[in-house]
Amino acid sequence: MYWLVWGILSFGVLMEVYGTEIIYKNQPLVKAKSVSVYFIFATVCMFLMAALRYGQGQDYMAYASLYQIDVYPYVDLVNKEPGYVFCAFMLNKMGVPFEVFVALLAAFEMYCFYRCIMKYGEYKIMGLLLLYPTLFLTYMFSGFRQAGAIAIFCGFVIPCLKEKKWLKFVIAVLAAASFHKTVLVMLILPIIYKIKYKNMCKLILAAAAAGVVLCLVDVSGPLTFILQDRAVVYVEAWGNSDISIMGIAERTLLAGFVVWNTYKAGYEEEDCVTVFSKIYLAGYMLSVLTVRYQLMSSRLGVYCKALDIVLIPMLIYRMKPRSRKIMTAIVLAYAFVFLYKNIAMYIAQGGYNATVWTYPYITIFNKAALWLWK
């Protein structure tokens, strides 16, 4: 199923980019309407995949156990993520099974991503493909709370920011924070909005230098003081390497791609590409500043990085035809590599007796199969 969905999305990208540019009998080989229908089809496939899964995702069973607790507030989440806790508690009290709760959460999150892609996506199916390997399969499948925050960020926070609706922007960020508090760092975005793009590019060097310094200086004490009991989640014992080389390399390559394609182009400051590029680079700077702590680096940077789903297609759309086709091929390869890497990680984390190619997709209709693969 995992590779089947990847194939559906990859074929859709080929239709969207290559098919619409091939002229046959004075007509494009693939019409825009066909691409739109295929986009909806692919979105529905992804929704069903997320909604019908069972036990897929490292934290699925942990969230299922928490959902069964019917005393409000349960554990210590109520003071940290009240939005998620309240939704889960109310639906549980109404007798809604956890599997239905998962489906409702998946529907809401896919709607948010769909809303963002429909509003800003130049190549919409490409946006889904970029969503698929990590945001979809890692965060939506396992990080229930943060996936909700990321979805709200893409679907509501970004439009409010772009349209300068500052009050709605703050309300949307607070709504996202009710699912995961890390999104509160995005309250800096109105300041980022005002900074000139060229100055943002220069700040990257300062952030990278500061990140190197923080790798050499022990800041676990101040982090523990600031985060209190939550610090242990992010900070391991000092001296243990906790830097994701592949993760930071990927973010650096993508940030370089964004800068290379926007810096010299001289887009207006209010242009979508410029605004989204500044937001994207702000996320990259957060990642390199906290690179010493892998979990913190990924969690703080993921909100801005989620703009991959619209920013990368925007930049590719504005390229010359030959460059556009080459970059599309690179995007397809990128999605393949990270899907392969992530599935290998899921197998290791979940203890599955499977290969990357046979990794099972378990549904609510064949729950027993989960234990047969372990």
Side-chain angles (χ1 to χ4, degrees):
M1 174 61 76
Y2 292 92
W3 291 105
L4 174 61
V5 172
W6 173 83
I8 289 171
L9 295 172
S10 297
F11 179 74
V13 171
L14 293 174
M15 283 177 51
E16 188 173 43
V17 180
Y18 292 85
T20 55
E21 294 186 5
I22 297 175
I23 304 301
Y24 179 71
K25 293 184 179 180
N26 298 321
Q27 293 289 332
L29 186 64
V30 178
K31 295 182 179 180
K33 185 176 181 180
S34 299
V35 173
S36 298
V37 171
Y38 197 94
F39 169 66
I40 294 173
F41 164 72
T43 303
V44 171
C45 285
M46 291 177 69
F47 159 67
L48 291 175
M49 185 179 183
L52 299 178
R53 74 189 191 277
Y54 176 77
Q56 305 285 276
Q58 185 181 11
D59 296 332
Y60 183 98
M61 291 304 181
Y63 276 105
S65 298
L66 285 175
Y67 185 80
Q68 303 307 320
I69 300 174
D70 60 0
V71 178
Y72 185 82
Y74 58 73
V75 294
D76 65 340
L77 290 178
V78 68
N79 294 320
K80 297 178 176 64
E81 280 84 26
Y84 174 85
V85 172
F86 181 75
C87 291
F89 174 78
M90 291 303 296
L91 289 172
N92 183 28
K93 279 294 188 182
M94 292 166 61
V96 175
F98 179 69
E99 291 81 1
V100 176
F101 171 70
V102 168
L104 292 173
L105 197 59
F108 172 71
E109 290 165 356
M110 283 306 299
Y111 166 73
C112 289
F113 291 126
Y114 173 86
R115 189 174 191 266
C116 181
I117 293 173
M118 282 297 294
K119 195 172 184 67
Y120 302 111
E122 302 283 8
Y123 288 131
K124 295 177 174 58
I125 304 173
M126 185 183 291
L128 290 179
L129 180 65
L130 290 166
L131 174 75
Y132 184 61
T134 302
L135 289 177
F136 182 77
L137 290 181
T138 297
Y139 283 92
M140 279 185 64
F141 273 42
S142 190
F144 284 51
R145 290 175 291 129
Q146 190 159 22
I150 296 169
I152 294 171
F153 177 79
C154 289
F156 295 95
V157 174
I158 290 300
C160 292
L161 178 72
K162 180 63 183 68
E163 296 163 17
K164 298 183 181 179
K165 297 177 179 178
W166 305 122
L167 178 59
K168 289 184 177 180
F169 166 80
V170 172
I171 292 172
V173 171
L174 294 177
S178 73
F179 279 76
H180 208 278
K181 282 191 174 181
T182 52
V183 76
L184 287 173
V185 74
M186 292 297 103
L187 288 172
I188 67 170
L189 290 184
I191 299 173
I192 300 298
Y193 193 103
K194 299 294 183 181
I195 298 175
K196 295 291 184 182
Y197 182 66
K198 290 187 176 182
N199 292 334
M200 279 293 298
C201 294
K202 295 174 184 176
L203 285 173
I204 293 176
L205 298 176
V212 171
V213 171
L214 292 176
C215 283
L216 302 175
V217 178
D218 186 352
V219 294
S220 54
L223 281 177
T224 302
F225 175 76
I226 295 170
L227 299 177
Q228 299 297 320
D229 59 324
R230 296 279 289 182
V232 70
V233 179
Y234 299 98
V235 183
E236 294 183 355
W238 186 258
N240 295 335
S241 177
D242 191 30
I243 299 174
S244 172
I245 301 299
M246 188 170 183
I248 200 63
E250 179 228 357
R251 289 173 223 155
T252 300
L253 286 172
L254 286 174
F257 172 76
V258 169
V259 172
W260 179 263
N261 285 277
T262 54
Y263 190 84
K264 292 183 179 179
Y267 296 115
E268 294 180 4
E269 290 293 327
E270 296 295 322
D271 186 270
C272 249
V273 171
T274 303
V275 173
F276 288 177
S277 295
K278 287 195 287 187
I279 297 170
Y280 191 88
L281 295 180
Y284 175 70
M285 286 189 280
L286 285 172
S287 292
V288 296
L289 275 172
T290 55
V291 66
R292 179 62 184 80
Y293 302 104
Q294 179 183 342
L295 186 58
M296 182 180 291
S297 178
S298 62
R299 285 193 171 183
L300 292 180
V302 71
Y303 299 104
C304 298
K305 192 183 180 308
L307 284 180
D308 278 352
I309 64 177
V310 288
L311 179 57
I312 301 302
M314 275 182 185
L315 294 173
I316 293 175
Y317 182 81
R318 285 161 171 74
M319 291 179 173
K320 294 180 180 179
R322 183 176 179 180
S323 298
R324 184 160 57 239
K325 291 172 184 175
I326 292 172
M327 283 308 306
T328 298
I330 292 174
V331 167
L332 291 170
Y334 165 87
F336 175 86
V337 169
F338 275 86
L339 178 59
Y340 187 99
K341 179 190 81 72
N342 288 344
I343 290 179
M345 179 180 67
Y346 305 150
I347 292 172
Q349 290 175 342
Y352 287 91
N353 182 24
T355 68
V356 170
W357 310 110
T358 61
Y359 179 58
Y361 170 69
I362 313 299
T363 73
I364 58 175
F365 303 112
N366 64 332
K367 296 180 181 180
L370 178 66
W371 316 113
L372 297 177
W373 284 92
K374 292 192 175 185

